[in-house]
Amino acid sequence: MDHHYYIDYACKLAVANVNNGKGGPFGAVIVKDGEIVGEGTNLVTTLHDPTAHAEIQAIRNATSNLGHFELEDCIIYSSCEPCPMCLGAIYWARPKALYFAYTKKDAAEIGFDDDFIYQEIEKPYEERKIHTVQLRDTQTADPMKAWSKKEDKVEY
């Protein structure tokens, strides 16, 4: 497999995204058996959606095209090292590999700094900058119990 071809493809998607004014300088492609099965660019400002990062868009596109919620035997190529949200989504999607061109340091140098999120994740939720409270009592519905009792659930 020509990894350089797909990295260049992801980076060309990112450059086109910048040039057409649709979002930030990020692109991603997902490949299975030598075929592109999904692609995405950063559409945060276009869609008014803070989760519309290139990797998330590519995962949504690929899983829709493949008809499955996992990216088994797929490789993700990204123009940049994924942010914490995208990295989490990548792990949930379970591809076999991830390749990226630019680092999170490169992104930080042009104003896309995710370091504060990594720092927040490490803190107990009570100490995070966004006021976070666990709130449940005996009247709260119990989705954990409902899931554990469900016999026909699809595990993931």
Side-chain angles (χ1 to χ4, degrees), residues 8-18 20 24 26-29 38-41:
D8 187 53
Y9 189 100
C11 288
K12 284 178 178 171
L13 284 175
V15 169
N17 201 53
V18 169
N20 67 27
F26 306 103
V29 294
E39 61 182 60
T41 57

Side-chain angles (χ1 to χ4, degrees), residues 32 37-38 58-72 74 154:
K32 183 173 185 170
V37 295
I59 289 169
R60 289 173 178 159
N61 184 233
T63 54
S64 177
N65 289 337
L66 295 171
H68 199 272
F69 57 85
E70 289 184 353
L71 297 174
E72 186 177 348
C74 292
V154 176

Side-chain angles (χ1 to χ4, degrees), residues 92-139:
W92 282 119
R94 297 175 176 90
K96 68 180 181 180
L98 164 67
Y99 292 80
F100 62 87
Y102 293 87
T103 67
K104 61 185 178 181
K105 184 177 183 243
D106 296 322
E109 289 174 359
I110 61 165
F112 294 93
D113 192 353
D114 301 325
D115 192 51
F116 75 97
I117 297 173
Y118 288 104
Q119 292 173 19
E120 287 289 296
I121 289 170
E122 293 297 316
K123 294 178 184 176
Y125 67 83
E126 303 90 349
E127 295 176 19
R128 294 180 183 158
K129 288 183 182 172
I130 294 177
H131 182 71
T132 305
V133 178
Q134 180 184 15
L135 182 62
R136 74 173 187 197
D137 57 32
T138 58
Q139 303 302 313

Side-chain angles (χ1 to χ4, degrees), residues 31-103:
V31 177
K32 183 173 185 170
D33 299 326
E35 179 183 340
I36 294 175
V37 295
E39 61 182 60
T41 57
N42 179 287
L43 297 175
V44 169
T45 57
T46 298
L47 297 179
H48 310 288
D49 178 355
T51 69
H53 290 202
E55 296 89 345
I56 300 293
Q57 297 297 98
I59 289 169
R60 289 173 178 159
N61 184 233
T63 54
S64 177
N65 289 337
L66 295 171
H68 199 272
F69 57 85
E70 289 184 353
L71 297 174
E72 186 177 348
D73 296 323
C74 292
I75 299 174
I76 298 178
Y77 297 89
S78 180
S79 62
C80 190
E81 184 176 1
C83 75
M85 175 185 68
C86 292
L87 188 59
I90 289 166
Y91 270 88
W92 282 119
R94 297 175 176 90
K96 68 180 181 180
L98 164 67
Y99 292 80
F100 62 87
Y102 293 87
T103 67

